[in-house]
Amino acid sequence: MYKKFNKQYIGGEWIEGNSDRVYVDQNPYNEETISEIRLANEKDIDKAYQAAKEAQKEWEQVNPYQRQAIIEKAAQIVERRRDEIVKVLVEENGASYTKANIEVSAAIGIMKESATFPLRMHGQIMPSIIPGKENRVFHNPAGVVGIISPFNFPFHLTMRSLAPALATGNGVVLKPDLQTMISGGLILGEIFEEAGIPKGLFNITVCSSSEIKDAFIEHPIPQIISFTGSTPVGRHIGELCGRHLKRVALELGGNNVMIVLKDADVQRAAASAAFGKFLNSGQICMSLNRIVVERPAYEAFMKAFVDKASQIKYGDPKNEDVVVGPLINNKQIKRIQNLIDKSIALGAEYALKGEVEGNVLAPTILTNVTNDMPIAQEEIFGPAVGVIVVDSEEEAIRVANDSDYGLSGAVHAGTTERGVEVAKQIVTGMIHVNDQGVNDEPIVAFGGEKASGLGRYGGEWAIHEFTTTKWISVQTDPREYPF
């Protein structure tokens, strides 16, 4: 069923790429071939951007109700094809059935929210200090948006930029991660083609960064680059966009902390920690990276957390009761094991040692961790976590903020207001009281501080990310000039 996904989607046509390279898309659990595709090159990228530019000129003139109807129809198609999309995510991304269904639901949510955007691009009429003048302010489409999407939540994280960009009147060129070229790319071309998107408005270029270098970003047509991925790559994209005076939306890495205060409900905190760490095998930008526990709650929390984690099923994600499936490739297994080994050498200990089976790492918990260890300082992006003990609320806040990142986090406290007061002091774009770090809602601002990114997705914030503001003044009465 996946062999059909072997063409680029450019100018409303499914065509062969012009690269000399062929990419083999593999199942990360059993490494079986899913599909093969001739990659796109710089020539294809230029063709895609030119097509998006031409189609966008007409698209921004389309009645907002028609744009809304197309986005709504696309959401209905996703719901109708849910089982198919879930299966693609399980086989190409290594997602569990739980994670895959969460992902599809999240994508539908952002599509439904985005469908309201054409009717929310409100202008303003404002007074003027000049007699006889009226000021009008408009929100207009930015033009063409280049989207670079990741492998971990490919369908949703592509849709999080794609649906708002289209809804606000832009053209789009998408570069999905090669490892999820179908679930984060080509299947979306089918969906929006069926929904009736104009030819050329949405284009998909499956290409290798090692071949095209910076051509996707530096091309003169896109006014905005939307990137979700690692902080080092995000910094590079930000530098390029600054040089070329392009706008950029960056959702980058996280070193997310969950604080468990001494008066917290430890059973509730342990359940939160298990979900927030091990969903999608920990391959989520918002996944818990560190758990900081006040000493009086430590022993009870550890017992509950280890017990919960040790019961999590791992293995082949085709089994519907499996929660922890494969990492996206074997390099990630080696990288995470290296973080663990280095931390063990510095004094950390296993509270729960997960076995490695192929590309699957079973849930792993380290204790005796200090905040300067590799397991606490680097983004893990896998099913391992370190637990840090502190002696006060103040120390917990200091440790939580002792990181270059500031994406998400959580605080468990005995009272809501105490949790909120601690949450206010953690430098993150998002933080959740008596919950865990993995939260994403279509109407709420989503984004990070520090090295975790720039800009905000979701709701009205997404409208501003993908539009530009224009001032038109109208002088109705003759103006008197000083000369």
Side-chain angles (χ1 to χ4, degrees):
M1 88 183 256
Y2 306 123
K3 301 297 182 183
K4 65 177 179 177
F5 293 110
N6 62 354
K7 297 284 196 301
Q8 310 289 333
Y9 186 58
I10 299 173
E13 304 293 337
W14 296 94
I15 62 173
E16 286 276 345
N18 280 295
S19 172
D20 293 332
R21 302 187 192 181
V22 173
Y23 178 74
V24 179
D25 191 19
Q26 293 182 315
N27 180 315
Y29 180 73
N30 56 29
E31 298 185 343
E32 291 179 356
T33 296
I34 295 172
S35 185
E36 296 182 9
I37 188 170
R38 182 166 297 282
L39 296 176
N41 64 8
E42 286 189 44
K43 179 181 176 182
D44 298 307
I45 290 168
D46 178 64
K47 185 176 179 180
Y49 275 130
Q50 296 290 351
K53 181 180 178 180
E54 286 305 308
Q56 190 274 332
K57 293 174 185 176
E58 296 184 12
W59 179 243
E60 70 176 323
Q61 301 300 321
V62 169
N63 185 290
Y65 286 92
Q66 289 179 258
R67 296 209 306 266
Q68 179 184 52
I70 288 175
I71 304 298
E72 287 177 341
K73 184 176 179 181
Q76 292 164 6
I77 293 167
V78 171
E79 187 60 76
R80 191 188 78 227
R81 296 178 66 174
R82 172 186 284 270
D83 290 346
E84 175 192 352
I85 297 166
V86 164
K87 187 177 180 184
V88 174
L89 287 165
V90 169
E91 296 195 16
E92 183 186 43
N93 175 243
S96 67
Y97 275 90
T98 297
K99 178 264 185 183
N101 274 291
I102 289 172
E103 179 167 0
V104 174
S105 294
I108 291 170
I110 200 66
M111 295 173 83
K112 289 181 176 179
E113 171 68 5
S114 298
T116 70
F117 292 173
L119 307 183
R120 292 165 60 187
M121 293 171 65
H122 302 143
Q124 285 181 283
I125 297 178
M126 305 174 73
S128 172
I129 60 172
I130 307 298
K133 173 172 280 191
E134 177 183 270
N135 290 313
R136 303 177 186 180
V137 180
F138 297 88
H139 285 297
N140 293 331
V144 174
V145 178
I147 298 173
I148 305 172
S149 62
F151 70 81
N152 59 319
F153 257 69
F155 191 77
H156 171 56
L157 293 181
T158 300
M159 194 69 78
R160 186 179 64 184
S161 294
L162 174 61
L166 293 174
T168 49
N170 298 288
V172 170
V173 179
L174 167 64
K175 178 187 177 297
D177 190 292
L178 283 175
Q179 299 165 110
T180 48
M181 67 176 198
I182 300 172
S183 54
L186 300 173
I187 199 167
L188 286 97
E190 276 198 347
I191 289 164
F192 279 94
E193 187 176 56
E194 183 181 345
I197 206 82
K199 280 194 168 189
L201 188 69
F202 174 35
N203 304 268
I204 304 166
T205 55
V206 180
C207 48
S208 171
S209 296
S210 64
E211 179 177 2
I212 66 163
K213 309 299 183 187
D214 295 325
F216 189 89
I217 301 152
E218 292 189 311
H219 195 283
I221 286 179
Q223 286 78 29
I224 297 173
I225 300 293
S226 176
F227 170 75
T228 302
S230 73
T231 294
V233 176
R235 287 187 193 277
H236 178 66
I237 290 171
E239 289 170 3
L240 291 174
C241 287
R243 186 184 310 156
H244 293 280
L245 298 179
K246 296 176 185 282
R247 288 166 55 192
V248 63
L250 301 173
E251 197 261 283
L252 308 178
N255 188 351
N256 311 299
V257 68
M258 185 174 91
I259 295 173
V260 182
L261 297 175
K262 61 186 178 183
D263 60 347
D265 180 332
V266 294
Q267 294 293 332
R268 184 175 176 183
S272 291
F275 180 86
K277 174 69 261 187
F278 300 116
L279 178 67
N280 199 35
S281 306
Q283 297 176 111
I284 307 174
C285 56
M286 300 169 284
S287 291
L288 298 176
N289 218 61
R290 299 170 293 159
I291 300 173
V292 176
V293 186
E294 272 199 280
R295 196 173 297 278
Y298 172 74
E299 190 173 329
F301 171 80
M302 284 300 296
K303 184 178 184 304
F305 183 38
V306 170
D307 181 61
K308 187 82 174 173
S310 63
Q311 296 178 51
I312 291 174
K313 298 282 183 67
Y314 62 91
D316 187 346
K318 285 185 180 179
N319 298 324
E320 294 196 20
D321 59 347
V322 162
V323 171
V324 172
L327 297 181
I328 194 67
N329 57 52
N330 196 253
K331 288 189 298 184
Q332 303 308 313
I333 292 279
K334 294 174 181 176
R335 179 185 59 79
I336 294 167
Q337 192 61 56
N338 186 50
L339 294 178
I340 292 170
D341 291 345
K342 286 182 176 179
S343 299
I344 293 286
L346 291 170
E349 298 176 354
Y350 283 108
L352 178 65
K353 185 176 182 179
E355 299 301 318
V356 175
E357 298 177 4
N359 290 341
V360 177
L361 171 63
T364 298
I365 301 171
L366 299 187
T367 188
N368 249 11
V369 172
T370 56
N371 203 48
D372 57 353
M373 291 180 179
I375 201 74
Q377 280 299 303
E378 297 190 34
E379 185 177 26
I380 301 165
F381 226 65
V385 67
V387 181
I388 301 169
V389 184
V390 295
D391 290 309
S392 67
E393 179 181 302
E394 292 72 24
E395 186 183 1
I397 293 167
R398 180 183 60 76
V399 169
N401 286 328
D402 184 17
S403 169
D404 292 336
Y405 298 95
L407 185 59
S408 187
V411 179
H412 274 260
T415 66
T416 300
E417 287 311 310
R418 186 181 180 206
V420 170
E421 287 307 309
V422 171
K424 287 178 181 178
Q425 298 175 69
I426 311 302
V427 185
T428 57
M430 309 170 287
I431 192 161
H432 310 283
V433 175
N434 291 333
D435 194 6
Q436 43 71 52
V438 182
N439 286 276
D440 189 353
E441 298 189 29
I443 64 170
V444 184
F446 184 105
E449 299 293 334
K450 300 193 285 188
S452 290
L454 295 170
R456 293 293 185 270
Y457 297 95
E460 63 187 87
W461 297 271
I463 296 176
H464 291 288
E465 286 293 338
F466 294 108
T467 59
T468 187
T469 304
K470 184 166 187 172
W471 170 30
I472 298 177
S473 74
V474 179
Q475 188 71 39
T476 54
D477 300 334
R479 181 173 175 176
E480 295 186 9
Y481 302 102
F483 58 88

